[in-house]
Amino acid sequence: MGRDLLIGLGVALLASWLALVVGLLLVRPRGPLLAEAVRLLPDLLRLLRRLAADRTLPRGVRVRLALLMVYLAIPFDLIPDFLPVIGYADDAIIVALVLRSVVRRAGLDAVRRHWPGTEDGFAALTRLTGLRGREPG
């Protein structure tokens, strides 16, 4: 029975991974959106560090941000980074999900306050992550 359970878990994990890869291939950023995302990367990394260090934010938010930075730093991913375009897509999706979570708990003003880039960059960040108009809840 234990062996069957492990095989079942392995099959489920493989099926989930394949579904993620197919989904990322279908929704991957194209053209100017991809270029915009790459341009924002240095500012985004500074933003994550600043938000994680802000003691006024709820502890759960800071923990999520710290875990995100650890995930981004580890050398292996759900989808290997050496695959063109989709290799970084899992990272982008996870960053967007964590930032949405941060905005839900801390508010868009907290993200704006720590944004190190330009206003155009902040507008691009809100477009890419779907953060426009969200308030803490």
Side-chain angles (χ1 to χ4, degrees), residues 93-114:
I93 290 169
I94 291 170
V95 167
L97 290 173
V98 171
L99 280 176
R100 286 179 187 178
S101 170
V102 167
V103 169
R104 262 195 308 277
R105 289 276 292 147
L108 189 57
D109 288 339
V111 176
R112 180 177 286 287
R113 184 173 62 245
H114 291 291

Side-chain angles (χ1 to χ4, degrees), residues 23-106:
L24 290 173
L25 281 171
L26 294 174
V27 299
R28 72 181 184 270
R30 291 176 180 84
L33 191 58
L34 180 60
E36 198 169 47
V38 170
R39 183 179 55 84
L40 291 177
L41 188 59
D43 289 334
L44 182 60
L45 293 174
R46 283 193 298 267
L47 171 69
L48 295 174
R49 184 180 46 79
R50 288 176 178 184
L51 286 167
D54 184 347
R55 298 272 186 214
T56 65
L57 296 179
R59 175 182 247 174
V61 167
R62 294 191 326 264
V63 167
R64 276 178 249 162
L65 289 163
L67 290 172
L68 172 63
M69 289 188 292
V70 168
Y71 174 78
L72 293 173
I74 59 176
F76 53 89
D77 284 340
L78 296 172
I79 299 174
D81 289 341
F82 64 82
L83 295 174
V85 181
I86 67 164
Y88 292 101
D90 62 328
D91 294 341
I93 290 169
I94 291 170
V95 167
L97 290 173
V98 171
L99 280 176
R100 286 179 187 178
S101 170
V102 167
V103 169
R104 262 195 308 277
R105 289 276 292 147

